[in-house]
Amino acid sequence: MSGIHHVTAIAGRPNVNFDFYTRTLGLRFVKKTVNFDDPGTYHFYYGDEAGNPGTILTFFPWEHAAPGRVGVGQTQTTALRIPAQSIGFWAHRLVEAGAKHEAPIRRFGEVVLEFTDPDGMGLSLIGVPGAENEPAWTTGDIPAEHAIRGFHGVTLMLDSVELTGAILADVLGFTRVGQEGPYVRFKSEGAVGGIVDIREAKGFLPGRMGRGSVHHVAFRAKDDAEQAEIARKLSEVHGIYATEQRDRQYFRSIYFREPGGILFEIATDAPGFTVDEPIATLGTDLKLPRFLESKRQQIEAVLPTLEVAA
Ligand code: ZN
């Protein structure tokens, strides 16, 4: 298996983030939990109906986080797939929502609609011919024909393409498929979450992590064995040592910093988001891992109330 598993970013106010991703973009809220390393704060997961790998966008909403700055060594844009004929629908919807957006452009033969979320996170919608035939999560005012179909990919802003490109190609199952201006495209086998573009930006200012920044990009491993093989290749061929495996409840993860400075994660496809609640009610209750269950009362007391969309 290859491709993006999830993207995790830093947000500001939880309710603003929740409202934008569930109402404006119409993603499904698939898990309400806490940051396992900072359990007084939320960890939100959005995705398709089941939160399948390749559709999962997650946030650490830290109400008082200082704004980040996009720069070298950071993820510049997270791109979401929509049907090619839905660009007009979304341009109109972003105007109505008051979201900051650019006029559509064309890159690698695709129509790209760039915009930012309320925390300034760089996003884009990519019009993909045929995406209308892929499954979609729908909400009241976004019909299935226009709904988001998971990730198209990410754009990484880096000093140089080569070292990171080698990790993508040798270890993560991507193939270098083209270049357009400063953008070099890498593609994996899957349609959903299958693109990594590297924007070569030598001499640009380094990025600063904060509100609106992508914290890390996670790639897929189908199981523990494939993940262990990735770790082995990273160390033996590239001299990069990943962390020990951590249990993230919905997947098992290892982490490493790629040569350009961005935090990468390798996450297993299993067990997924239905491990602790049924698919019909995903995202309804606050879910805690077993080691935090004894602290539920204290945790619930400090988390802000969240309006769950009907
Ligand atoms: Zn992650």
Side-chain angles (χ1 to χ4, degrees):
M1 211 58 243
S2 64
I4 292 167
H5 182 283
H6 66 268
V7 172
T8 293
I10 299 169
R13 287 157 56 203
N15 274 295
V16 172
N17 178 267
F18 178 77
D19 190 73
F20 186 79
Y21 285 94
T22 58
R23 290 173 200 264
T24 305
L25 296 190
L27 302 182
R28 187 173 194 198
F29 189 52
V30 294
K31 196 64 65 181
K32 176 165 63 167
T33 183
V34 295
N35 182 335
F36 293 179
D37 303 317
D38 180 14
T41 61
Y42 279 123
H43 191 177
F44 291 164
Y45 291 80
Y46 306 96
D48 68 358
E49 182 180 17
N52 285 302
T55 74
I56 312 157
L57 180 55
T58 103
F59 289 91
F60 299 132
W62 284 321
E63 186 125 23
H64 303 293
R69 183 185 64 209
V70 176
V72 171
Q74 277 200 333
T75 301
Q76 170 185 298
T77 313
T78 300
L80 303 163
R81 300 161 65 78
I82 56 168
Q85 67 271 21
S86 302
I87 288 283
F89 171 89
W90 281 99
H92 184 73
R93 189 170 177 86
L94 293 174
V95 170
E96 279 189 331
K100 264 179 71 180
H101 67 284
E102 306 291 325
I105 56 159
R106 202 168 258 282
R107 188 179 298 143
F108 292 112
E110 298 159 336
V111 179
V112 178
L113 181 59
E114 296 188 316
F115 64 106
T116 53
D117 84 353
D119 291 306
M121 176 173 167
L123 296 165
S124 62
L125 291 164
I126 313 292
V128 180
E132 62 275 15
N133 301 318
E134 298 168 7
W137 172 253
T138 56
T139 59
D141 57 344
I142 303 173
E145 58 175 318
H146 297 311
I148 288 170
R149 265 75 177 175
F151 292 120
H152 188 62
V154 290
T155 301
L156 312 179
M157 198 195 276
L158 300 173
D159 252 341
S160 140
V161 172
E162 300 313 322
L163 292 175
T164 304
I167 302 294
L168 289 169
D170 296 352
V171 184
L172 298 177
F174 284 76
T175 307
R176 183 171 172 153
V177 292
Q179 175 157 13
E180 192 169 315
Y183 293 91
V184 177
R185 172 153 290 191
F186 292 82
K187 202 173 179 316
S188 81
E189 63 198 13
V192 174
I195 300 288
V196 174
D197 290 334
I198 296 179
R199 178 184 172 193
E200 201 166 42
K202 211 182 286 300
F204 279 45
L205 279 177
R208 187 182 57 221
M209 194 62 74
R211 179 155 48 83
S213 302
V214 170
H215 186 268
H216 61 265
V217 179
F219 295 89
R220 296 176 69 173
K222 79 173 181 298
D223 53 24
D224 293 339
E226 192 175 79
Q227 186 186 63
E229 175 58 18
I230 289 171
R232 187 194 64 77
K233 258 191 175 168
L234 272 174
S235 62
E236 284 180 14
V237 183
H238 298 275
I240 293 173
Y241 294 87
T243 62
E244 291 293 298
Q245 191 188 65
R246 294 186 195 156
D247 183 1
R248 296 309 191 189
Q249 184 83 359
Y250 310 107
F251 39 84
R252 295 179 293 279
S253 301
I254 61 172
Y255 301 82
F256 65 97
R257 213 163 274 284
E258 57 81 26
I262 297 175
L263 187 62
F264 278 5
E265 171 181 346
I266 310 297
T268 56
D269 280 1
F273 292 93
T274 53
V275 72
D276 60 1
E277 60 187 335
I279 192 162
T281 56
L282 285 181
T284 309
D285 297 323
L286 178 71
K287 290 297 176 186
L288 297 176
R290 198 168 299 138
F291 75 95
L292 290 174
E293 204 48 72
S294 63
K295 300 198 179 83
R296 176 175 283 272
Q297 260 192 327
Q298 297 97 296
I299 289 171
E300 285 182 342
V302 297
L303 290 174
T305 311
L306 200 62
E307 311 281 324
V308 176

